[in-house]
Amino acid sequence: MAGIKEIAEKAGVSISTVSYALNNSNKITKETRDKILKIAEELHYTPNLAGRSLKKQKTKLVEMYVPDFGGYFYGHLLAGVAEVLKNKGYELIVASGGKQSRSFISQGLVDGAIILDPTFPDSEIERLSKAGNKLVLMDRKLNMSSVSHVLLDNEKGAKEAVDALVETKTEMFAILTGPSTSYDGRKRLEAALNEFQAKGNQTVVVIPSDFTIEGGKKAAEEIIKIKREQIGVFALNDEMAFGLYEGLKKNNLVPGKDIKIVGYDNDLIGRYVRPQLATVDYSKHQWGKKAAEVLLDMIENEVTRNEVVTTKLISRESLKK
């Protein structure tokens, strides 16, 4: 792989002139720049990112940390991030767990990072931020002025879900929780319990779960044991609600008729299950876009700020049928 020295030799210019061309400097003519860039392409030149970062130049790379790559949720989220970065000339690297990928930040191989991964330690975020790295958090709230937060309005969504369930006038209610490591899950649970309390003497059962379809199936078994004529269930994500559907139908219970159900996330499948799933909606694409916009503002303008992504209830047949 060719370096700047080889390009300079073939072009018959100095190394500094090659550097000017590669960095789009106006210190050389367009003709010279075009000639050097053509030679660089012919020699398959690739910039040394570590070297560039040592000179305090931007790598034009951003890293995003997520616990998983697949599915409807992450596809739309990453598309929103990538759209904003591409329009500004940046590229996206996506990583999932592991100390090696996290070292990209401390080594200066990326200009900043977006974190939506509960396995990324708070202590490391604090250390990286204090060292001057640009970080946007989407999955937690840290009391640090040097990091930015782009979070969901979990409280609003949970409140609307509970209000809709209470209006069905069922005998009692159940909440299917997410894993204890989930910031969004904890906030939804806290807001839901507060809203049930505000609505008066409501009977509420909290069923620990894990945001998976299998978790929803297991929760169905717990709900069936309750043996109440009418139960309203708030599943803190849609995947658990889909599992709940399956578990209830195996026991000849009809979602919407026998058990009212509200999910969270507005997963695409919710429109196609029968009855259609009532859910709390927000734009995954817009959430990703906002996170990228906030990070670029930190990188390019040294501006740190927090944003909230709004939510709204979509009332469907699982509440009404």
Side-chain angles (χ1 to χ4, degrees), residues 16-307:
S16 61
T17 300
V18 173
S19 179
Y20 290 146
L22 296 175
N23 288 287
N24 200 30
S25 170
N26 58 10
K27 294 182 179 180
I28 58 174
T29 65
K30 182 180 183 302
E31 182 182 3
T32 300
R33 182 186 303 111
D34 291 346
K35 174 185 174 182
I36 291 170
L37 292 178
K38 183 178 180 182
I39 292 171
E41 186 176 354
E42 291 171 353
L43 295 177
H44 305 291
Y45 169 74
T46 301
N48 184 322
L49 297 180
R52 288 176 64 183
S53 66
L54 288 173
K55 295 179 181 179
K56 304 300 182 184
Q57 296 178 5
K58 290 184 176 64
T59 65
K60 305 293 278 190
L61 291 174
V62 163
E63 191 160 19
M64 183 164 183
Y65 296 87
V66 294
D68 187 7
F69 298 123
Y72 175 82
F73 176 88
Y74 289 107
H76 281 258
L77 190 77
L78 292 170
V81 173
E83 178 185 319
V84 171
L85 295 179
K86 183 179 180 181
N87 289 339
K88 293 290 187 176
Y90 286 75
E91 293 187 41
L92 176 65
I93 300 172
V94 183
S96 180
K99 292 183 179 180
Q100 188 170 350
S101 63
R102 295 201 294 263
S103 69
F104 284 15
I105 306 174
S106 57
Q107 292 179 20
L109 301 181
V110 294
D111 294 334
I114 299 170
I115 299 172
L116 180 59
D117 182 357
T119 68
F120 203 119
D122 287 356
S123 58
E124 193 163 356
I125 291 172
E126 292 173 4
R127 179 180 63 80
L128 290 168
S129 178
K130 287 177 181 177
N133 295 288
K134 314 301 183 185
L135 305 175
V136 172
L137 308 183
M138 300 177 72
D139 65 350
R140 72 197 77 184
K141 184 74 178 289
L142 295 183
N143 188 24
M144 296 185 66
S145 60
S146 56
V147 299
S148 292
H149 302 82
V150 180
L151 304 173
L152 292 178
D153 193 347
N154 289 297
E155 291 81 358
K156 177 177 179 289
K159 180 180 182 299
E160 291 180 349
V162 168
D163 289 349
L165 283 170
V166 171
E167 286 175 11
T168 65
K169 303 189 183 304
T170 56
E171 293 182 349
M172 67 170 297
F173 304 93
I175 302 173
L176 308 191
T177 73
S180 60
T181 55
S182 169
Y183 171 85
D184 291 321
R186 294 195 306 271
K187 288 297 179 182
R188 291 169 196 176
L189 175 60
E190 180 183 328
L193 289 173
N194 287 340
E195 187 64 9
F196 275 125
Q197 185 176 21
K199 289 292 181 180
N201 295 321
Q202 308 295 339
T203 302
V204 183
V205 176
V206 176
I207 301 176
S209 194
D210 59 2
F211 278 171
T212 68
I213 289 176
E214 283 302 314
K217 290 179 183 177
K218 291 177 182 177
E221 297 172 6
E222 298 298 317
I223 289 171
I224 290 164
K225 291 176 185 176
I226 296 172
K227 294 182 180 178
R228 289 291 186 97
E229 196 169 309
Q230 282 279 325
I231 300 176
V233 179
F234 179 23
L236 299 188
N237 83 335
D238 282 355
E239 284 199 35
M240 291 189 295
F242 301 147
L244 185 60
Y245 267 49
E246 290 186 36
L248 294 176
K249 287 179 179 179
K250 284 181 181 178
N251 288 272
N252 298 315
L253 293 172
V254 180
K257 179 183 177 183
D258 300 310
I259 296 183
K260 310 298 182 184
I261 303 173
V262 180
Y264 207 115
D265 287 339
N266 194 21
D267 192 297
L268 182 64
I269 299 172
R271 305 175 200 173
Y272 299 102
V273 295
R274 291 293 179 268
Q276 289 186 334
L277 177 65
T279 185
V280 176
D281 179 42
Y282 56 90
S283 171
K284 292 84 179 165
H285 191 84
Q286 188 64 27
W287 193 16
K289 285 182 67 175
K290 276 195 176 184
E293 289 166 356
V294 169
L295 181 60
L296 290 183
D297 215 6
M298 294 181 75
I299 293 169
E300 297 181 351
N301 303 314
E302 297 290 334
V303 174
T304 303
R305 72 177 194 274
N306 300 326
E307 294 278 352

